[in-house]
Amino acid sequence: MSTDRKVAVITGASQGIGAALADAYLERNYRVVAVSRSIQPSNNPDVLTIAGDIGDPATGRRAIDEALARFGRVDTLVNNAGIFVAVPFTQYTADQYAQVLSTNVNGFFFITQAAIEAMEKQGSGHVVSITTTLVDHPTAKVPSVLASLSKGGVAAASKSLAIEYATRGIRVNAVSPGIIKTPLHPVDTHEFLSALHPVGRMGDIEDVVGAVLYLENAPFVTGETLHVDGGQIAGF
Ligand SMILES: NC(=O)c1ccc[n+]([C@@H]2O[C@H](COP(=O)([O-])OP(=O)(O)OC[C@H]3O[C@@H](n4cnc5c(N)ncnc54)[C@H](OP(=O)(O)O)[C@@H]3O)[C@@H](O)[C@H]2O)c1
């Protein structure tokens, strides 16, 4: 198989934002490696699916190794797999803590390590991770300590990696959404969630996809956290 086409590895690609990102990269002539626990094999020869828990260090390594074996390169990694558990601080269970940290932090760390290793050999690459504006703009209406602990770590680590690899052709960015209409949010919560944004609505999946694609095509942008949150970051 030729290796002239770019390759994007996208975690959490079975539904929601990740599935839309996979489609968007395919439309832009990328080959796509789609990772999630429940993802099914694809008939599309430009798509390789990797079924696994992203919190397991072996899953990230396997995704990158198989991307290289099948498509010969890794140009972009989108760390999109993530979970959100909104519980008052003292009520988080040890299991919830372990699950959130495993998915959001291990799930960022190990696949990014494998991807950057490959990108460094190529001399180019882009890592973009999906965080949340709750990190910078918590609200009393949504308890979110575990989101801040885990996604806040990812946001900070993205800046650190951007600096560590700035001279080696690898950019590292983050997209920080407000609340986006995905299967994560039952329809009967939409009115309440819309009111948490200065613009008075939830975001759409395409708003996040557009931000990732902007960063993809912005060679002078690294270490950036791009907020896609209907103005939440400006204050409310
Ligand atoms: N929707 C929002 O309002 C919002 C706001 C801010 C940030 N975000 C962030 O945006 C990202 C995508 O959110 P979304 O709304 O599209 O979520 P979603 O609809 O719940 O989809 C989450 C995806 O992650 C995968 N996933 C979950 N746990 C995994 C694990 N342990 N290993 C591998 N894959 C796993 C799921 O697939 P499987 O079940 O098949 O594993 C699914 O494909 C997340 O990081 C989320 O925190 C979302």
Side-chain angles (χ1 to χ4, degrees), residues 120-132:
E120 202 176 1
K121 286 183 190 142
Q122 289 169 195
S124 65
H126 182 212
V127 178
V128 55
S129 301
I130 312 297
T131 67
T132 167

Side-chain angles (χ1 to χ4, degrees), residues 17-89:
I17 295 167
L21 282 166
D23 290 342
Y25 274 93
L26 283 170
E27 280 164 20
R28 281 153 187 81
N29 204 34
Y30 278 69
R31 291 179 166 129
V32 166
V33 179
V35 186
S36 97
R37 290 165 303 182
S38 69
I39 203 148
Q40 300 298 311
S42 170
N43 292 327
N44 183 339
D46 290 333
V47 177
L48 171 66
T49 62
I50 304 288
D53 183 340
I54 200 64
D56 176 353
T59 302
R61 175 62 61 183
R62 182 157 56 92
I64 300 303
D65 285 351
E66 292 197 23
L68 292 171
R70 168 93 168 256
F71 298 137
R73 54 195 286 173
V74 173
D75 298 281
T76 297
L77 167 65
V78 186
N79 287 312
N80 166 78
I83 55 172
F84 178 62
V85 183
V87 175
F89 178 58

Side-chain angles (χ1 to χ4, degrees), residues 17-235:
I17 295 167
L21 282 166
D23 290 342
Y25 274 93
L26 283 170
E27 280 164 20
R28 281 153 187 81
N29 204 34
Y30 278 69
R31 291 179 166 129
V32 166
V33 179
V35 186
S36 97
R37 290 165 303 182
S38 69
I39 203 148
Q40 300 298 311
S42 170
N43 292 327
N44 183 339
D46 290 333
V47 177
L48 171 66
T49 62
I50 304 288
D53 183 340
I54 200 64
D56 176 353
T59 302
R61 175 62 61 183
R62 182 157 56 92
I64 300 303
D65 285 351
E66 292 197 23
L68 292 171
R70 168 93 168 256
F71 298 137
R73 54 195 286 173
V74 173
D75 298 281
T76 297
L77 167 65
V78 186
N79 287 312
N80 166 78
I83 55 172
F84 178 62
V85 183
V87 175
F89 178 58
T90 56
Q91 291 172 30
Y92 279 114
T93 66
D95 277 354
Q96 287 170 329
Y97 174 86
Q99 189 63 39
V100 172
L101 271 285
S102 171
T103 307
N104 295 0
V105 178
N106 292 9
F108 161 85
F109 189 89
F110 294 105
I111 193 167
T112 301
Q113 228 179 9
I116 285 189
E117 203 177 290
M119 291 169 179
E120 202 176 1
K121 286 183 190 142
Q122 289 169 195
S124 65
H126 182 212
V127 178
V128 55
S129 301
I130 312 297
T131 67
T132 167
T133 285
L134 289 166
V135 167
D136 307 300
H137 188 271
T139 164
K141 294 178 179 160
V142 183
S144 58
V145 166
L146 278 188
S148 290
L149 189 61
S150 58
K151 299 278 191 177
V154 168
S158 295
K159 289 175 78 168
S160 180
L161 281 175
I163 297 307
E164 187 172 341
Y165 287 92
T167 59
R168 284 177 267 181
I170 301 171
R171 294 184 300 117
V172 186
N173 290 301
V175 169
S176 179
I179 301 166
I180 308 297
K181 271 187 205 161
T182 70
L184 202 63
H185 305 296
V187 175
D188 62 2
T189 63
H190 285 191
E191 196 178 330
F192 164 74
L193 295 173
S194 294
L196 297 178
H197 302 79
V199 298
R201 71 165 177 90
M202 297 170 75
D204 292 318
I205 287 176
E206 290 314 314
D207 293 321
V208 180
V209 171
V212 172
L213 293 176
Y214 162 73
L215 291 168
E216 186 63 60
N217 295 304
F220 201 48
V221 179
T222 193
E224 173 67 358
T225 295
L226 181 52
H227 291 86
V228 183
D229 63 6
Q232 287 176 325
I233 190 64

